[in-house]
């Protein structure tokens, strides 16, 4: 298909170099994403990869170098996520199944391919920490503490298995099947290579306590069935790198995002 085949509708959003527009293709509603920068267009390859791996995702109806046409969620059999889903243990268990599928499939991706993908963990380097120190100079001693430990963190990370991670959990990126049989995540721009523990943290921090417990229990059972042991070095390393990666991203924003507050509190509590 070509973009000229579309009947254009309303603009949904235009943020961070990604334009999202509703349209109609052959009488069916679709969503079109246009990418102003090559780094944002990586989402096209991410959808292609999930399709090749057999992962449930929103159907891709067409793609070009800087555009993507996705099926409408409702037409694809899903409803958009809602704030109430963050409190629902049933939805949390469905999410755990999708994340387990993603992580298991990611283990089949060659290391060389994973190494070339975006990784939030790679944000935590000397340059990234310098951005954090410049943005919050009152935390310079804590940033110096992190800089001293950075070589050891990188050494440990190099020995840990990486897989595909979604990295961007929120209900606005969630779709739940109308029959309640499954759920999936879309908006794949931040998908990349990382640790299972990073996605587990990313999801459970956003859920209610009851839903987070349901997610962890379901995910741990599925992982154990695959012979994957959770916790240990990966979980220990994810805590500092996850918080610091969030602060590197937040340091680039004009105003401090609300989601960065927990990580700021964490860094303030360092020695």
């Amino acid at each position: 298909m070509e973009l000229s085949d579309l009947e254009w509708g309303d603009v949904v959003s235009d943020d961070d170099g990604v334009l999202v527009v509703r349209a109609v293709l052959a009488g069916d509603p679709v969503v079109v994403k246009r990418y102003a920068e090559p780094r944002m267009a990586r989402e096209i390859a991410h959808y292609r990869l999930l399709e090749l791996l057999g992962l449930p995702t929103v159907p891709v109806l067409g793609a070009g170098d800087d555009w993507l046409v996705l099926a409408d969620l409702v037409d694809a059999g899903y409803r958009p996520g809602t704030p109430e889903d963050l409190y629902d243990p049933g939805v949390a268990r469905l999410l755990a199944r999708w994340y387990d599928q993603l992580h298991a499939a990611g283990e089949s991706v060659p290391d060389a391919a994973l190494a070339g993908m975006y990784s939030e963990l790679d944000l935590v380097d000397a340059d990234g920490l310098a951005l954090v120190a410049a943005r919050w100079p009152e935390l310079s001693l804590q940033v110096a503490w992190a800089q001293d430990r950075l070589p050891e963190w990188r050494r440990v990370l190099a020995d840990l298995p990486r897989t595909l991670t979604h990295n961007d959990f929120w209900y606005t990126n969630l779709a739940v099947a109308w029959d309640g049989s499954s759920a999936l995540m879309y908006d794949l721009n931040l998908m990349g290579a990382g640790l299972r523990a990073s996605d587990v943290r990313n999801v459970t921090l956003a859920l209610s306590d009851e839903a987070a417990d349901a997610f962890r229990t379901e995910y741990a059972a599925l992982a154990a069935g695959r012979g994957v042991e959770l916790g240990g070095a990966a979980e220990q390393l994810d805590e500092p790198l996850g918080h610091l990666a969030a602060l590197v991203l937040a340091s680039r924003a004009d105003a401090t995002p609300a989601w960065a507050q927990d990580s700021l509190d964490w860094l303030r509590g360092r020695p």
Side-chain angles (χ1 to χ4, degrees):
M1 65 152 292
E2 300 295 334
L3 291 180
S4 57
D5 297 329
L6 299 170
E7 299 175 35
W8 296 97
D10 297 332
V11 173
V12 177
S13 62
D14 187 4
D15 298 316
D16 199 22
V18 182
L19 174 67
V20 183
V21 184
R22 297 194 184 280
V24 175
L25 174 64
D28 295 322
V30 297
V31 174
V32 184
K33 304 188 80 169
R34 298 295 304 268
Y35 305 95
E37 302 176 24
R39 70 179 180 87
M40 307 305 291
R42 64 193 172 204
E43 186 174 24
I44 299 168
H46 294 166
Y47 271 102
R48 187 179 301 118
L49 177 59
L50 290 196
E51 185 176 13
L52 288 172
L53 293 172
L55 264 292
T57 187
V58 181
V60 176
L61 304 179
D65 291 339
D66 63 352
W67 57 270
L68 188 66
V69 177
L70 300 170
D72 179 79
L73 281 180
V74 174
D75 273 14
Y78 294 90
R79 65 165 176 82
T82 66
E84 290 73 25
D85 288 325
L86 302 178
Y87 296 85
D88 189 332
V91 172
R93 284 187 283 270
L94 297 178
L95 276 168
R97 295 168 196 169
W98 185 84
Y99 274 93
D100 171 72
Q101 287 181 280
L102 173 69
H103 297 157
E107 291 170 353
S108 69
V109 177
D111 289 343
L114 289 175
M117 296 184 73
Y118 167 81
S119 176
E120 285 193 346
L121 301 175
D122 293 340
L123 296 173
V124 186
D125 58 12
D127 291 339
L129 292 177
L131 289 175
V132 175
R135 178 63 179 268
W136 295 284
E138 71 276 14
L139 298 176
S140 58
L141 290 178
Q142 289 88 340
V143 173
W145 168 86
Q147 289 170 330
D148 288 344
R149 283 151 183 78
L150 186 57
E152 175 63 13
W153 288 338
R154 305 305 299 184
R155 185 194 66 76
V156 174
L157 180 61
D159 291 334
L160 293 173
R162 291 197 188 192
T163 187
L164 290 176
T165 49
H166 181 263
N167 301 317
D168 193 18
F169 177 76
W170 191 234
Y171 73 87
T172 53
N173 299 333
L174 164 66
V176 181
W178 283 109
D179 63 4
S181 62
S182 64
L184 60 82
M185 298 301 296
Y186 60 100
D187 200 344
L188 306 179
N189 195 270
L190 292 182
M191 193 182 89
L195 304 174
R196 281 175 174 257
S198 299
D199 262 349
V200 171
R201 168 187 48 79
N202 187 248
V203 175
T204 54
L205 282 176
L207 300 177
S208 70
D209 290 345
E210 185 181 4
D213 286 344
F215 180 96
R216 291 190 192 95
T217 300
E218 182 78 7
Y219 184 87
L222 293 167
R226 299 182 187 276
V228 175
E229 184 177 350
L230 302 179
E235 194 167 292
Q236 293 172 17
L237 184 64
D238 174 68
E239 181 184 29
L241 292 187
H243 282 299
L244 291 168
L247 292 178
V248 172
L249 290 170
S251 71
R252 300 170 178 170
D254 292 336
T256 301
W259 48 258
Q261 193 57 56
D262 284 345
S263 295
L264 282 170
D265 292 342
W266 174 87
L267 186 58
R268 289 190 182 100
R270 296 313 94 194

